[in-house]
Amino acid sequence: MTEYKKILSLCAASLLLFSCTTGKTWDFNTDYFSIGVNDKGYITSMKNTTVSPNREFSPADKPSPLMSLYDSEKKVYYTPRSAFFNETTNCFTLEYPNGSVAEVALQPCGKYFKLTLNSLEPRNGIDAIQWGTYYTNITNLLGEIIGVARDTSDIVNYSIGVLALDDNTLGGTPDIEGDAAPFQYIIHTPDKERYPLPDSLHEGQVFTLGGNGISDVAFYANKEPYYRIMYGNAALVDSLGRIYLNYQSRDRSKPRQVFYSLIPNMPANIPNHIDVEPIPDVDFIGSSVALWGSPDSTALLDVIQNIVLSEGLPYPTVKGKWVKDPAAFSPDVMTSGNRYDSIISYTARLGFPAIHAYDQGFLRPDRANAGYLDGKDQAKKPFRFSSGNKSHREFADLAAEQGLMLGRVCITNSLAPGTMDASPVPSDSLCYQQKRTLMKSITAKDTVIVVDDPKYLEEIASWEGHCKDLNIIKIGKELIHYLGVSETAPYTLQNVTRGYWGTKPASHEANETVYKLQVTINYGYDGLIPDLALQDKIAEYYAEVAAYSGLTLYDFDGQEFLFNNGHGYYSAKRFFRKMFERAKELDVPYIRFSGATLSEGSWHYQSVWNVGGGRNLYDIDTREWGSATSQGKDLRDVTYSNYYPVSFGGNFAIKDTSTVEQYEHVQAISVGYGATYFLAINQEDVESCPQKEKIFKAIRTWEDARRANAFPRQIKKLLRDPSYDWRLEAGEDGNSWTLYRLANGDKVESFVLRRAEGY
């Protein structure tokens, strides 16, 4: 990343040499935004046209290349040196220093500009393109996942963003290994006056996460507001705190190797060398993005939603509303204790959409059951009811009668030992890090395995945790464990265990292929990573489980495993597209899912991100975003900046000491920020709570008003203040509510709220 910034700085410096000369500029307008592109191929103006005079957001010292080229072998970026616009075809011809010539269409589409790469000839070593970098002078909130620079102040109230219009165009820069940006902290203050940086820190400075690299709770280690955790790099900041935006697209048909770790700055997660599977016909020609500018307060539902609908991007809905609409945000119930007699009743009375059966443990994908988790005859009955235990299908059908969904936590694409694609007969469609050749024939009992090349075989598999017992090779249909390889010829694998994971030891002939497999981690996540063809099948499997077993809520733990094949956010997009397409074929109207991470690859599909919980996320007693760690603050900043529901994680269990005032506060903060959560429910604990009925009623009142979109922007700002106490009372007409601010239990201020039109 540092090298990349230096290159861009040199490019920007060179631009100053010609920035004073007079040249041709073409101006383009949308409903809220205008840009000017000069005859060098740079955006030199970005203006908010909704105010007078128009406010300029393009820094004078940093014009923005319309599109850059990248040569990954040389690790060199090329920015355009000349541009010509054909008004008949609405296309720019861009010429580059390496001799490449690009044709880029620029089409105003009402509320956004659509940019499309039509051609690039000759390529001259170019294997990736980058839209931008688009520089702004906005210094407030950066949305690093979807690529947005936001100024949320009442004075400015404007945002500029980019959105990919195809699966192979990804948020971020093409120099990032494995197409998934490093998980780390950067320094950025969203408000220099309120949160000034100490002299020891500077904007854009990079810090590693906390902890040992294994405990995900310990990652979150900096409570100061200017430590910004990063879940992508579609938006970054320069040395002045100004936000800039990048999207990229790659030629995926070419073989390549990456040196990848999602958390590369930690000893427990050092990078591995991974041979990335080529994908025929997936190329950067046709790459397309939407570039937009808009008042921030209306950007999500007015502009981004318009882009999604106009361009046919994924648009999951719940009860007729887009899942990104804050009025559609909602908590879910998360169970414990495996007693379900009243769970459906509780959930319906709370007004929540789904039951997360967390007490059922991990669901591991196993295509052997064809989507019937309890057998086609529903013989297994894992859910305890006094009237007789239920299968998944039976419980899901009971919940569906109340309009509720049933869900489980699953290990995404981890192929666990004993499942169909892992063992005892492993699939031939497994992702591998390295491929070698067996130099000498071996019998079923031999432990001396000689390979042609020792390079990278000393690396412990995965990039995450580097669990030694998952260091596995595959020869034929046999899995073999090893640790280490000799440094001199003959290159011999060390500490070999044959017939690993219950596979059958077999004889293997010289010149057979040896695959060093890509794997997950331990701690219950143990598994092999599929290649893309098999990953497609796993995605479809989850849709089949939804159709045949009734699970329509998934908590995709280990979601980062989708990056393990080296295709990063593209892999995630592909996985969720396959799942949703198969679900549509099977008449499953909606799959709601959370997961271990949020990325540009999952943003469109993922409804909530209820990761972690308890005092790490939001402490109901201290009224603090994370009292035990900074996880609450960190995830709040990420999600809120990216127009995504914030989360309290799994939290706020109803117990004998719970009070209605606690949940009035939880719901106020939830509505104010647009937060969701998994409400921890244990049937015995709920029944022990004297205020159970009042708590249910209070939560339901807030949820009804939220779905009615009854909270205007200024009220939401008030609700975010944790020092305030609130009470919400429903009107008799079902379309109005009165919100009271309390002081020492007394009503000191009131606001009348009404159902918004269309809700």
Side-chain angles (χ1 to χ4, degrees):
M1 190 178 298
T2 302
E3 180 182 358
Y4 171 58
K5 287 183 177 179
K6 288 180 181 177
I7 294 169
L8 288 179
S9 297
L10 291 172
C11 292
S14 66
L15 286 173
L16 295 177
L17 297 177
F18 61 72
S19 62
C20 297
T21 62
T22 302
K24 173 72 174 177
T25 297
W26 295 273
D27 296 316
F28 305 91
N29 292 275
T30 67
D31 293 351
Y32 316 120
F33 188 44
S34 72
I35 62 172
V37 183
N38 70 10
D39 57 6
K40 303 297 182 182
Y42 288 78
I43 298 174
T44 56
S45 177
M46 298 181 185
K47 290 182 179 179
N48 173 6
T49 58
T50 69
V51 297
S52 183
N54 297 169
R55 183 185 288 268
E56 179 64 73
F57 288 99
S58 178
D61 63 328
K62 283 192 174 181
S64 303
L66 199 64
M67 189 187 77
S68 305
L69 309 180
Y70 186 66
D71 182 328
S72 64
E73 288 192 10
K74 296 180 180 178
K75 299 187 183 304
V76 171
Y77 283 85
Y78 299 99
T79 56
R81 64 183 182 187
S82 69
F84 172 77
F85 184 68
N86 186 323
E87 295 183 5
T88 302
T89 61
N90 292 315
C91 289
F92 274 97
T93 299
L94 303 175
E95 296 184 354
Y96 293 84
N98 72 325
S100 294
V101 178
E103 182 182 273
V104 174
L106 192 161
Q107 182 67 48
C109 297
K111 296 179 179 179
Y112 61 97
F113 298 112
K114 182 175 182 179
L115 297 166
T116 306
L117 175 60
N118 291 337
S119 64
L120 182 72
E121 293 292 342
R123 298 206 174 186
N124 290 345
I126 300 305
D127 54 1
I129 61 100
Q130 177 177 294
W131 295 104
T133 294
Y134 301 130
Y135 297 101
T136 79
N137 57 27
I138 296 172
T139 60
N140 183 202
L141 303 183
L142 71 153
E144 79 280 20
I145 294 175
I146 62 169
V148 59
R150 301 179 60 184
D151 190 319
T152 61
S153 67
D154 291 333
I155 294 175
V156 178
N157 185 28
Y158 201 77
S159 292
I160 295 171
V162 185
L163 206 64
L165 303 182
D166 63 278
D167 283 358
N168 191 36
T169 301
L170 311 178
T173 56
D175 60 332
I176 291 298
E177 294 283 340
D179 289 337
F183 185 25
Q184 58 195 9
Y185 281 103
I186 67 166
I187 297 300
H188 173 64
T189 177
D191 189 319
K192 293 180 181 179
E193 292 185 4
R194 293 177 63 196
Y195 311 117
L197 296 185
D199 293 340
S200 60
L201 300 176
H202 61 81
E203 287 280 349
Q205 191 173 353
V206 174
F207 287 88
T208 189
L209 303 179
N212 59 10
I214 297 174
S215 169
D216 55 1
V217 170
F219 292 164
Y220 308 95
N222 295 284
K223 292 188 176 184
E224 297 86 349
Y226 41 77
Y227 277 89
R228 175 60 156 80
I229 208 159
M230 298 290 283
Y231 272 81
N233 73 329
L236 291 165
V237 298
D238 68 9
S239 61
L240 300 178
R242 299 177 298 187
I243 300 166
Y244 58 92
L245 312 174
N246 316 276
Y247 264 74
Q248 61 103 344
S249 186
R250 185 181 304 283
D251 179 358
R252 297 189 183 278
S253 67
K254 297 175 62 176
R256 60 194 174 98
Q257 185 177 88
V258 296
F259 188 47
Y260 175 71
S261 169
L262 186 63
I263 316 175
N265 301 317
M266 285 188 155
N269 297 298
I270 60 175
N272 278 159
H273 291 85
I274 303 168
D275 287 339
V276 181
E277 176 186 356
I279 314 173
D281 303 321
V282 178
D283 187 26
F284 53 67
I285 301 300
S287 172
S288 189
V289 295
L291 172 63
W292 59 271
S294 162
D296 180 78
S297 55
T298 55
L300 176 64
L301 296 182
D302 183 24
V303 178
I304 297 177
Q305 183 171 215
N306 176 264
I307 295 169
V308 169
L309 288 171
S310 300
E311 298 295 334
L313 298 178
Y315 189 75
T317 60
V318 56
K319 296 183 178 178
K321 295 297 179 186
W322 185 35
V323 297
K324 297 298 180 292
D325 185 336
F329 297 171
S330 174
D332 300 302
V333 158
M334 182 175 74
T335 63
S336 66
N338 197 14
R339 286 191 58 193
Y340 287 91
D341 295 284
S342 299
I343 297 300
I344 292 174
S345 172
Y346 294 160
T347 309
R349 290 161 66 192
L350 290 162
F352 294 176
I355 300 164
H356 177 18
Y358 189 73
D359 46 13
Q360 297 295 316
F362 285 153
L363 173 64
R364 295 169 174 82
D366 186 358
R367 295 190 305 133
N369 62 39
Y372 295 91
L373 298 180
D374 301 315
K376 290 187 177 181
D377 58 357
Q378 309 294 319
K380 298 178 183 177
K381 310 285 184 181
F383 296 94
R384 287 174 51 201
F385 284 77
S386 298
S387 59
N389 295 349
K390 309 291 184 186
S391 67
H392 284 82
R393 179 79 265 174
E394 290 165 341
F395 186 16
D397 289 345
L398 281 176
E401 292 176 4
Q402 299 295 322
L404 305 176
M405 293 172 279
L406 176 63
R408 291 276 304 273
V409 59
C410 42
I411 311 300
T412 314
N413 61 338
S414 174
L415 306 177
T419 60
M420 174 178 167
D421 295 303
S423 68
V425 183
S427 170
D428 290 329
S429 292
L430 297 175
C431 179
Y432 59 86
Q433 292 188 336
Q434 301 293 323
K435 182 169 67 172
R436 298 290 182 262
T437 299
L438 185 66
M439 297 303 292
K440 296 180 179 180
S441 299
I442 58 174
T443 68
K445 294 184 178 181
D446 282 335
T447 57
V448 177
I449 299 176
V450 179
V451 296
D452 61 325
D453 185 354
K455 194 174 185 181
Y456 308 136
L457 296 185
E458 79 283 357
E459 296 177 352
I460 303 297
S462 185
W463 54 266
E464 184 177 8
H466 303 291
C467 303
K468 292 182 178 180
D469 62 324
L470 293 180
N471 210 54
I472 300 171
I473 61 169
K474 175 178 174 289
I475 308 177
K477 290 293 185 180
E478 182 185 358
L479 301 182
I480 300 170
H481 180 265
Y482 82 101
L483 282 175
V485 61
S486 62
E487 295 180 359
T488 58
Y491 302 113
T492 308
L493 301 185
Q494 307 293 300
N495 304 296
V496 168
T497 301
R498 300 292 302 273
Y500 205 54
W501 278 10
T503 58
K504 185 176 180 180
S507 298
H508 301 287
E509 299 299 322
N511 297 318
E512 282 193 48
T513 302
V514 177
Y515 297 97
K516 178 179 173 64
L517 298 181
Q518 177 64 299
V519 297
T520 59
I521 55 174
N522 290 159
Y523 322 109
Y525 298 86
D526 313 53
L528 309 177
I529 296 295
D531 68 8
L532 282 170
L534 181 53
Q535 181 176 290
D536 290 348
K537 296 295 184 183
I538 299 299
E540 293 172 350
Y541 166 81
Y542 283 113
E544 288 156 6
V545 170
Y548 306 144
S549 295
L551 291 188
T552 50
L553 166 68
Y554 290 121
D555 184 6
F556 281 116
D557 208 346
Q559 192 179 148
E560 74 276 10
F561 298 153
L562 294 172
F563 307 154
N564 281 24
N565 53 34
H567 284 292
Y569 305 147
Y570 170 81
S571 175
K573 285 184 179 180
R574 179 170 172 145
F575 179 85
F576 292 117
R577 180 176 292 280
K578 292 289 183 182
M579 182 177 76
F580 274 73
E581 286 177 347
R582 179 61 174 147
K584 185 177 180 180
E585 291 174 359
L586 297 172
D587 295 322
V588 177
Y590 169 51
I591 292 179
R592 181 178 181 84
F593 76 89
S594 180
T597 192
L598 177 69
S599 70
E600 194 267 332
S602 65
W603 187 90
H604 286 285
Y605 298 96
Q606 191 166 332
S607 298
V608 293
W609 188 22
N610 294 326
V611 64
R615 297 183 185 274
N616 296 304
L617 266 292
Y618 191 84
D619 190 324
I620 196 172
D621 296 322
T622 64
R623 299 192 172 192
E624 182 181 1
W625 285 92
S627 62
T629 69
S630 66
Q631 187 177 20
K633 179 270 293 184
D634 289 334
L635 298 188
R636 177 200 65 197
D637 292 350
V638 168
T639 49
Y640 187 82
S641 298
N642 285 281
Y643 299 112
Y644 194 85
V646 183
S647 178
F648 296 139
N651 219 336
F652 318 128
I654 298 178
K655 299 181 179 179
D656 58 348
T657 56
S658 298
T659 65
V660 68
E661 289 79 14
Q662 291 174 323
Y663 294 91
E664 293 269 15
H665 172 72
V666 165
Q667 288 297 128
I669 298 291
S670 175
V671 170
Y673 278 99
T676 64
Y677 57 94
F678 284 138
L679 177 64
I681 290 287
N682 179 295
Q683 188 168 302
E684 291 184 4
D685 289 344
V686 171
E687 292 306 318
S688 73
C689 179
Q691 295 198 31
K692 174 188 72 173
E693 298 299 333
K694 290 182 179 180
I695 292 170
F696 281 1
K697 182 179 178 181
I699 292 175
R700 179 59 180 264
T701 301
W702 283 91
E703 290 303 308
D704 286 347
R706 175 167 18 200
R707 276 193 296 275
N709 197 23
F711 298 94
R713 183 168 179 253
Q714 292 305 316
I715 292 295
K716 287 183 178 180
K717 285 188 173 183
L718 289 175
L719 294 175
R720 292 173 205 155
D721 189 331
S723 68
Y724 288 161
D725 293 316
W726 303 94
R727 181 178 302 157
L728 185 65
E729 296 180 0
E732 294 183 1
D733 60 0
N735 295 308
S736 64
W737 295 262
T738 303
L739 177 66
Y740 296 99
R741 187 169 69 83
L742 308 180
N744 299 317
D746 296 325
K747 298 174 180 178
V748 296
E749 196 172 9
S750 66
F751 307 88
V752 176
L753 311 177
R754 300 193 183 279
R755 183 180 298 275
E757 185 177 352
Y759 291 84

